[in-house]
Amino acid sequence: MNPLPPPLPGPLPVPVLDPRARDVVPDYEGMHALVADLVLPAGASMYVMSTMETSRELIRHSYYRYEFATVAVTHSLFALEHVLTERLALRKPLQDLIEQATDTGLIPAELTARIDRGQRLREELAQGAITSAAYSPLEAIEMVRAVFDTVSLLLRPPPAAEAKAGTAIDTGAAAQPEDRLTRLWAEHRRALYPDSFRGVDIEGVELILLDADVAGLVHTELNGGLDDNGIALLWACIADLDKIAPLINSEYCASYFAKLRTMAQVAATRHIPTAI
């Protein structure tokens, strides 16, 4: 783990407006409205959510550094490539994945045309044909929006699965606590901790320590079981998670800690006596 650098003395300096972005919006507040419709898709993995949220924030902060807009486009394509690789069960270059998804009807031609521009941008940057200042925030947001729309479409369940879900029992909720906890633990171990929240304290709760405490307790539960003290500590962690959850202002971080709370709850529930 890379430790955080020591804090700077005094308040951080306010970023200076990049003059090239002066005509995009009247002020920085306008950037919030510009990216407001870039909503992270439901059902995305932690990797995809992190990548897409970073892309959105790069556009927001292109108000201060113009090049961030172009970088946002190239970064968003990592999420698209990841989702296509999983959906098609293939490892190919992004352009080949896009073509196959279009040929099989996973992506409509209209969306393909929109994301093609971003794909060409990535190739031109790699070849040195253009620089990171090639696109304005307004141009970049249209390409990033195309990626958001495509990923959301790819993550949507097929119609048959949606119909089945309407009549079937939620297997995640109905599964045995032991099986569900094992699955949640495996997902948690694959998830990336939100780097921007290392060393962050909310309402007296240091997030990375809370994460480590819950992980340690769940690991103990899966390998022999918690004693009374461990159970009490786990419930205390759940109380802390409930306290910080409404105060987290990052979608990725909020999702990470929501899943952490679910895992902690499932582990703690195993020690609640069942009614006779």
Side-chain angles (χ1 to χ4, degrees):
M1 181 180 74
N2 295 324
L4 287 172
L8 296 173
L12 293 173
V14 176
V16 177
L17 164 68
D18 190 317
R20 295 169 292 178
R22 68 163 65 93
D23 297 326
V24 176
V25 289
D27 50 34
Y28 180 64
E29 292 299 317
M31 297 300 290
H32 304 327
L34 195 65
V35 302
D37 65 338
L38 296 180
V39 179
L40 301 183
S45 68
M46 300 299 281
Y47 171 81
V48 171
M49 288 184 65
S50 176
T51 303
M52 296 178 75
E53 183 177 41
T54 299
S55 302
R56 183 184 63 198
E57 295 311 302
L58 282 166
I59 290 181
R60 194 196 307 269
H61 289 90
S62 65
Y63 186 79
Y64 298 121
R65 182 68 182 182
Y66 195 80
E67 283 81 359
F68 285 177
T70 299
V71 176
V73 178
T74 61
H75 196 76
S76 70
L77 291 171
F78 293 134
L80 177 60
E81 186 169 0
H82 185 83
V83 171
L84 280 172
T85 297
E86 288 195 336
R87 185 68 187 269
L88 295 170
L90 293 171
R91 288 200 172 276
K92 290 184 176 182
L94 177 58
Q95 186 59 46
D96 292 344
L97 293 172
I98 293 171
E99 289 175 2
Q100 181 152 345
T102 305
D103 291 343
T104 56
L106 286 175
I107 304 176
E110 181 271 333
L111 265 182
T112 301
R114 289 169 59 196
I115 59 179
D116 254 357
R117 192 179 175 197
Q119 170 64 6
R120 290 197 305 272
L121 165 65
R122 187 164 80 165
E123 292 174 355
E124 290 170 353
L125 275 171
Q127 295 163 3
I130 59 174
T131 71
S132 294
Y135 286 89
S136 73
L138 292 176
E139 292 173 307
I141 199 168
E142 289 307 315
M143 287 184 270
V144 171
R145 184 178 289 113
V147 172
F148 268 65
D149 290 346
T150 306
V151 169
S152 296
L153 178 65
L154 289 168
L155 291 176
R156 190 178 303 161
E162 288 180 340
K164 186 177 179 181
T167 57
I169 296 173
D170 181 357
T171 57
Q176 291 297 318
E178 294 82 359
D179 296 339
R180 191 177 182 208
L181 185 60
T182 300
R183 175 175 58 79
L184 291 170
W185 173 243
E187 291 174 358
H188 177 74
R189 293 188 65 187
R190 291 194 299 268
L192 298 175
Y193 184 86
D195 277 338
S196 59
F197 283 80
R198 293 186 186 277
V200 172
D201 179 298
I202 297 179
E203 293 291 309
V205 177
E206 190 162 349
L207 300 192
I208 197 166
L209 294 181
L210 178 59
D211 175 58
D213 287 344
V214 172
L217 291 165
V218 170
H219 181 264
T220 300
E221 173 63 18
L222 288 169
N223 291 272
L226 292 167
D227 59 17
D228 290 345
N229 286 336
I231 297 167
L233 285 172
L234 187 58
W235 282 111
C237 288
I238 291 171
D240 283 341
L241 286 164
D242 288 340
K243 179 166 66 172
I244 65 162
L247 305 175
I248 297 176
N249 59 3
S250 158
E251 286 182 64
Y252 175 73
C253 187
S255 175
Y256 181 94
F257 278 94
K259 292 179 179 180
L260 185 71
R261 192 211 181 280
T262 298
M263 183 174 68
Q265 180 73 40
V266 170
T269 301
R270 294 170 71 170
H271 295 275
I272 298 175
T274 55
I276 298 175

